[in-house]
Amino acid sequence: MKTLLDIDYVTRDDKVIIRLFYKKKDGREIEEVTDFKPYFYAVPVDTEKLKGELKKFDRILKIEKKRMVDMKKEIDVLKITVKQPKDVSELRDKIKNLEYCKEVREAAIPFVERYLIDSGLIPMENSEEVGLRIAAFDMEVYNPRGEPNPERDPIIMISYADNLGLKRVWSYKHENIKLDFLEILKDESMIIKKFIDTVNEQKIDIITSYNGDNFDFPYLKDRASRLKINLSLGIDGSVIKLERRGMNLGARVRGRPHIDMYPICRQVFNLSRYQLEDIYLEIFGRKKLDIDVGEMAKVWNSEDIDGLKKLFEYSLSDAVSTLEIAMTLLPLQYELSRITRDLIYESSRSGSGQRVESLLMRKAHEMNILAPNKPSDRLAEERQRTSYTGAYVVEPIKGIHDNIVLFDFRSLYPSILISYNIDPSTIDCECCPEDNYKTPTQHYFCKKKKGFIPRILSELVTKRIEIKKKLREEKDPEKRRLLDVEQHAIKLLANSAYGYYAFARARWYSKGCAESIAALGREYIHKTIREVENFGFKVVYGDTDSVYVIKPKEVDKEKIIDDANSFLKKINEELPEAMELEFEGFYPRGIFITKKRYALMDEKGILIVKGLETRRRDWSNIAKETQNKVLNAILHEKNPEKAAEIVKGVVKRIRKGDVALRDLAINTQITKGLGEYVQPGPHILAAKKAMKRGYEFKRGDIVTYVVTKKGVSISDKARIIDFVEEGDYDAEYYINNQVLPAVLRILEALGYSEDELKGFGKQMRLGSF
DNA sequence: TACCAGAGGAG
DNA sequence: AAATCCTCTGGTA
């Protein structure tokens, strides 16, 4: 039993050798593969003539004629096998331009990926059985002037935790501090060496970090090279490698995958901020030890025993938390790696488009399908310029409704994709008669031959149904956990297929397919609305694949639910087999404000809020909490007067000046390069002010700012929270631009006239309550 | 007041 | 480097 962690290749004597890095129960294994050669395909204009042209290239080992499926037809291709991976990139452009070559295909696939596709090996298989040894690490860096600089600022401690139970902080200088996990070594060099040695001695298989790709490893690498230390963390003694991955970096350790939990957390959770503390709180529901990092250098230079102890404890808690997060989130990553058959290093850094594509590449190879080429940058931009019509959203009936039933389609888009056989190879086929079903977009889909992607998707859906069945029968919690992860991974992939068709950089891009799926989705939701209204319900809202309905004049909950089920029975008989409308919930009361903004109260009295300020990171807690209280007063007690009292109290508190900074903070992401803004908002101005004081901000960062008293415009007044004193906030801004808009919108939907609201708002603004 | 860029949510 | 639909803010003219 073994699990495949990593693959690379080396060349010896002009021969390419693939190395497979396995973890076994009792150790490691590196297997060498010498009989796999790089290759690509050429599509000939004339097969024999192209063969003739190819004779002049001496790096070619073999040329074979093959028949392969290319979208709607079968074609002849030449499989060109070469000596080394670099020969592929060198030869492909020359061969592409030959007179008798139409195009080259599968000629830009990295060699390791090529091998993974062809070998059918499954990375991370048996990952739960081999006993993977997982370590997390974190560093603290001397930062006397804000952002540390590797040219001058040393690493002052490295913390380490692994799933064998070892917990360590390595540091220097403070020999008098005694803590059971703390080892005071001679200097910075020694702590780096100790870290490398420990990873090797503990025989660690997977290294995890929190933002190791873009902070810890680049910093560590820089410091190590200044100190003339080899960062030889690789299984084979190789040093870590920093790779460019789009806008970011990836830190690669050979044979011992480094998994950065930060991008995974950004993908998995929807949070206001993604500091380690925020994630820890989200997953475990308890606070992680925290310190003021701005004070770290001061404490480091002091002899403050308690302060220093706290600093070391904090450092350890970072590594321990990272390990705990990894132990929680990695199983899903392993499963995604198994399904897509990408190495865990790649898979854990992939987006949904890349994952779908990896899966398709593997399946295409199994089915003798020639993969379409990736689009050029120019073609991708071209594709991006044209949009298409997506989902339908029902204009809500504003205000309060009682006894609301929610219906929605189970996996609407995947089920349409499968039911209608929507695929680039089946769209507008030539083999089907004229009366074939036309979607509202005027496309139709082959009825004779099942498409490639519908086939894969229905396999996935079938597999998921089987897993869910097993899950229902399984008692062992450990096995249940694994089955649940399995079905979850499949769901993620299935739900990405529609978006993949419209993804400009996709190989199997097809706008026609994407817009047909969306158009059919609209037809089905319209059909549902029509029929549910004929059945005596009234639609109060709906979005894409869901409808919220009420039964006017009916007050008996049981009767409403009975009717809902009768309706479901009727409509599901009319729907295609793979499609199903489901009973999703019953809500005693709800308030609808606008499209995509509403709140519901469930039968337990729990508030479910969608789209409103309460759900947005770019609104302050004070506004969000007040809105939430107002919603509760209205939905629980139908008591707008109480709501008004709540608001009155909050306005008073804001005026008094004793609202805590953390309740005034607004989080906004920097979504573009700082120089690219035409209209920079308050968060950008706040970030720029902070940068003058040594802070670093870049695209992707979330700025946490407060609107202070100092300045004229809102942007003037915005400062990042670290630089704001408690009490320094613009009360009028928080009253007029935060709390009041958030709550007045709710009251407006209740039917207060605009004039009443103006008075209401004005009164509050004047503080006359 | 109308308009636009920008952000982040829903599904 | 998955898609579209939609609301709302802050700044500008």
Side-chain angles (χ1 to χ4, degrees):
Chain A
M1 176 118 22
K2 54 188 182 181
T3 190
L4 180 60
L5 293 174
D6 195 17
I7 303 183
D8 75 349
Y9 67 88
V10 290
T11 47
R12 280 183 220 139
D13 310 326
D14 202 24
K15 288 208 175 88
V16 56
I17 297 155
I18 294 163
R19 301 191 300 177
L20 309 176
F21 296 88
Y22 285 104
K23 156 75 174 181
K24 305 207 298 187
K25 261 190 180 158
D26 55 353
R28 298 203 184 94
E29 179 185 307
I30 302 175
E31 188 185 328
E32 298 200 339
V33 178
T34 53
D35 59 356
F36 185 78
K37 301 286 180 232
Y39 68 88
F40 60 101
Y41 298 107
V43 182
V45 178
D46 180 302
T47 310
E48 290 312 309
K49 284 182 175 157
L50 180 57
K51 270 191 178 173
E53 284 184 307
L54 290 174
K55 282 199 179 113
K56 65 177 173 193
F57 299 104
D58 62 351
R59 304 289 298 171
I60 295 179
L61 288 173
K62 211 175 1 172
I63 300 170
E64 298 157 277
K65 196 170 123 177
K66 272 190 82 185
R67 198 140 180 90
M68 292 182 80
V69 179
D70 185 25
M71 285 295 172
K72 297 176 189 180
K73 53 189 189 297
E74 281 199 2
I75 59 167
D76 283 329
V77 293
L78 293 180
K79 179 179 175 183
I80 300 167
T81 305
V82 296
K83 290 184 179 170
Q84 283 194 28
K86 67 173 164 54
D87 298 328
V88 174
S89 44
E90 279 170 22
L91 281 176
R92 66 178 177 226
D93 295 322
K94 290 178 186 158
I95 292 175
K96 184 172 72 186
N97 293 323
L98 292 176
E99 190 182 352
Y100 292 103
C101 179
K102 211 182 282 173
E103 57 175 349
V104 292
R105 298 283 281 273
E106 304 194 13
I109 299 170
F111 184 54
V112 166
E113 195 190 332
R114 178 81 269 171
Y115 176 72
L116 265 170
I117 294 170
D118 289 48
S119 65
L121 290 176
I122 302 173
M124 303 315 289
E125 197 170 35
N126 309 314
S127 64
E128 310 293 329
E129 286 87 355
V130 296
L132 291 175
R133 298 176 171 217
I134 300 166
F137 83 104
D138 188 65
M139 307 174 342
E140 309 307 329
V141 173
Y142 187 58
N143 61 343
R145 308 173 239 199
E147 211 69 33
N149 177 349
E151 282 178 28
R152 46 155 213 264
D153 300 323
I155 297 163
I156 54 178
M157 55 192 93
I158 297 178
S159 56
Y160 170 101
D162 65 31
N163 66 342
L164 301 152
L166 185 63
K167 292 176 186 173
R168 280 286 178 269
V169 172
W170 300 295
S171 186
Y172 49 93
K173 183 168 144 178
H174 296 284
E175 282 160 1
N176 53 331
I177 310 277
K178 304 282 182 238
L179 289 162
D180 55 359
F181 58 82
L182 178 65
E183 283 183 57
I184 302 297
L185 304 171
K186 197 172 115 251
D187 54 19
E188 187 187 10
S189 290
M190 293 309 289
I191 69 173
I192 296 175
K193 283 181 185 156
K194 187 72 184 178
F195 169 54
I196 298 169
D197 290 347
T198 306
V199 167
N200 282 306
E201 281 159 17
Q202 294 286 93
K203 299 190 167 64
I204 293 306
D205 302 307
I206 288 177
I207 299 178
T208 67
S209 67
Y210 198 76
N211 204 24
D213 275 350
N214 290 288
F215 179 72
D216 300 70
F217 271 125
Y219 206 100
L220 184 60
K221 195 172 180 190
D222 196 323
R223 292 302 298 173
S225 87
R226 280 166 206 282
L227 299 164
K228 310 256 184 300
I229 300 170
N230 264 341
L231 260 189
S232 48
L233 281 166
I235 292 281
D236 57 349
S238 60
V239 299
I240 66 148
K241 223 168 88 183
L242 297 179
E243 300 176 339
R244 277 241 149 264
R245 298 185 68 85
M247 300 230 311
N248 291 316
L249 295 173
R252 189 159 209 152
V253 182
R254 187 53 64 206
R256 179 151 38 206
H258 163 227
I259 305 180
D260 187 340
M261 299 313 297
Y262 175 66
I264 292 171
C265 287
R266 288 211 50 159
Q267 199 172 67
V268 169
F269 300 107
N270 177 17
L271 301 179
S272 293
R273 298 159 76 235
Y274 294 89
Q275 310 272 27
L276 190 51
E277 296 77 25
D278 306 310
I279 300 294
Y280 192 81
L281 183 64
E282 172 68 18
I283 299 181
F284 303 109
R286 50 176 197 269
K287 285 203 166 165
K288 177 194 160 302
L289 183 62
D290 201 7
I291 59 154
D292 180 356
V293 181
E295 298 294 301
M296 189 164 63
K298 216 180 279 174
V299 176
W300 177 253
N301 287 330
S302 77
E303 292 299 326
D304 169 8
I305 305 282
D306 288 342
L308 284 162
K309 278 190 173 172
K310 203 175 162 207
L311 185 52
F312 291 124
E313 272 159 6
Y314 161 76
S315 178
L316 181 68
S317 79
D318 274 2
V320 170
S321 306
T322 303
L323 180 67
E324 287 182 59
I325 291 167
M327 298 313 284
T328 309
L329 300 184
L330 286 182
L332 178 65
Q333 298 301 315
Y334 299 158
E335 185 58 29
L336 285 166
S337 168
R338 286 189 284 266
I339 300 180
T340 63
R341 302 198 181 178
D342 271 328
L343 293 174
I344 188 68
Y345 173 85
E346 316 287 348
S347 177
S348 67
R349 290 167 176 77
S350 295
S352 37
Q354 184 51 247
R355 282 202 194 110
V356 171
E357 189 144 292
S358 289
L359 178 69
L360 297 182
M361 291 298 282
R362 270 69 180 170
K363 296 286 179 181
H365 182 261
E366 280 173 25
M367 293 161 72
N368 197 40
I369 289 170
L370 193 58
N373 285 335
K374 279 192 178 166
S376 62
D377 287 354
R378 176 210 282 266
L379 178 56
E381 280 164 29
E382 171 84 36
R383 288 172 174 180
Q384 208 121 44
R385 272 196 290 277
T386 59
S387 187
Y388 64 91
T389 309
Y392 171 66
V393 185
V394 181
E395 185 65 49
I397 300 174
K398 286 187 175 51
I400 288 199
H401 303 288
D402 287 343
N403 296 333
I404 304 163
V405 172
L406 169 58
F407 296 117
D408 71 5
F409 280 95
R410 172 165 48 74
S411 304
L412 179 67
Y413 286 179
S415 66
I416 290 175
L417 191 153
I418 292 168
S419 296
Y420 286 83
N421 197 24
I422 294 176
D423 187 270
S425 72
T426 61
I427 189 167
D428 305 328
C429 66
E430 278 149 31
C431 59
C432 288
E434 281 299 305
D435 63 353
N436 193 348
Y437 181 86
K438 278 194 165 50
T439 69
T441 52
Q442 292 307 105
H443 291 297
Y444 63 92
F445 295 89
C446 188
K447 296 216 157 167
K448 291 179 181 158
K449 204 169 166 296
K450 190 149 186 180
F452 170 54
I453 293 172
R455 187 158 154 183
I456 291 165
L457 215 58
S458 47
E459 281 171 18
L460 283 180
V461 168
T462 309
K463 181 91 193 286
R464 180 154 181 257
I465 291 167
E466 282 167 18
I467 294 164
K468 289 189 95 171
K469 183 163 174 272
K470 272 192 208 164
L471 193 53
R472 280 194 297 274
E473 292 158 4
E474 184 60 62
K475 291 279 186 299
D476 179 13
E478 189 60 15
K479 285 180 185 160
R480 287 183 59 89
R481 199 176 57 81
L482 291 176
L483 287 167
D484 192 51
V485 160
E486 245 186 286
Q487 70 83 17
H488 182 48
I490 292 176
K491 185 179 178 181
L492 284 179
L493 275 161
N495 286 341
S496 308
Y498 157 74
Y500 176 80
Y501 275 149
F503 171 36
R505 311 209 86 103
R507 290 175 187 265
W508 279 271
Y509 171 86
S510 172
K511 193 164 75 96
C513 288
E515 66 179 337
S516 298
I517 293 170
L520 284 161
R522 293 195 300 274
E523 276 201 345
Y524 279 105
I525 204 68
H526 278 122
K527 173 186 163 75
T528 306
I529 291 167
R530 220 167 39 236
E531 299 204 6
V532 81
E533 298 221 311
N534 284 340
F535 209 86
F537 286 99
K538 182 147 192 59
V539 173
V540 293
Y541 181 58
D543 186 345
T544 311
D545 58 356
S546 64
V547 281
Y548 290 90
V549 301
I550 54 171
K551 190 119 205 178
K553 287 177 215 149
E554 179 59 68
V555 289
D556 180 7
K557 178 196 155 189
E558 302 308 320
K559 176 79 171 70
I560 293 170
I561 289 177
D562 280 353
D563 284 357
N565 284 319
S566 315
F567 168 69
L568 283 178
K569 194 159 179 288
K570 177 181 176 290
I571 195 164
N572 281 321
E573 276 167 13
E574 301 165 22
L575 292 170
E577 205 196 314
M579 295 184 66
E580 193 187 349
L581 190 70
E582 293 182 313
F583 182 94
E584 186 56 36
F586 175 82
Y587 303 96
R589 195 167 290 155
I591 180 167
F592 292 81
I593 316 294
T594 60
K595 287 180 177 180
K596 300 190 187 279
R597 293 164 64 86
Y598 58 95
L600 303 161
M601 185 184 67
D602 73 10
E603 289 180 281
K604 289 176 185 159
I606 294 170
L607 199 61
I608 296 138
V609 184
K610 302 286 183 179
L612 295 172
E613 286 72 14
T614 298
R615 295 291 298 252
R616 296 179 64 97
R617 71 152 81 107
D618 55 353
W619 282 74
S620 59
N621 276 343
I622 189 77
K624 298 199 285 186
E625 281 168 9
T626 310
Q627 185 183 58
N628 204 61
K629 283 177 188 156
V630 163
L631 284 169
N632 267 315
I634 284 163
L635 291 178
H636 275 129
E637 303 161 42
K638 264 197 167 170
N639 189 348
E641 280 71 30
K642 185 178 170 189
E645 284 304 310
I646 291 163
V647 178
K648 205 171 73 177
V650 171
V651 168
K652 226 175 181 174
R653 251 185 69 214
I654 296 176
R655 282 249 163 73
K656 250 181 92 187
D658 59 1
V659 179
L661 281 186
R662 60 171 296 278
D663 292 325
L664 301 164
I666 296 166
N667 297 296
T668 311
Q669 190 178 193
I670 301 173
T671 60
K672 36 172 77 187
L674 283 165
E676 295 168 33
Y677 279 92
V678 180
Q679 264 193 44
H683 65 303
I684 303 300
L685 278 282
K688 283 189 170 163
K689 272 171 254 171
M691 286 167 86
K692 285 193 181 149
R693 296 170 66 166
Y695 270 49
E696 267 177 30
F697 280 102
K698 58 179 190 309
R699 189 185 304 213
D701 289 348
I702 292 168
V703 181
T704 302
Y705 71 93
V706 170
V707 177
T708 65
K709 289 173 177 158
K710 296 177 280 288
V712 184
S713 68
I714 294 164
S715 286
D716 276 346
K717 295 176 181 179
R719 327 246 141 161
I720 75 157
I721 194 163
D722 302 24
F723 296 144
V724 183
E725 301 281 319
E726 288 288 347
D728 178 13
Y729 64 85
D730 179 355
E732 292 309 306
Y733 172 82
Y734 282 97
I735 293 167
N736 294 321
N737 297 39
Q738 291 279 326
V739 173
L740 289 185
V743 299
L744 289 182
R745 262 193 282 280
I746 311 288
L747 297 172
E748 187 190 13
L750 276 179
Y752 283 83
S753 75
E754 210 170 308
D755 283 349
E756 282 175 292
L757 280 182
K758 269 182 191 156
F760 194 59
K762 210 175 182 178
Q763 281 177 359
M764 290 203 248
R765 270 169 243 256
L766 292 171
S768 60
F769 272 85

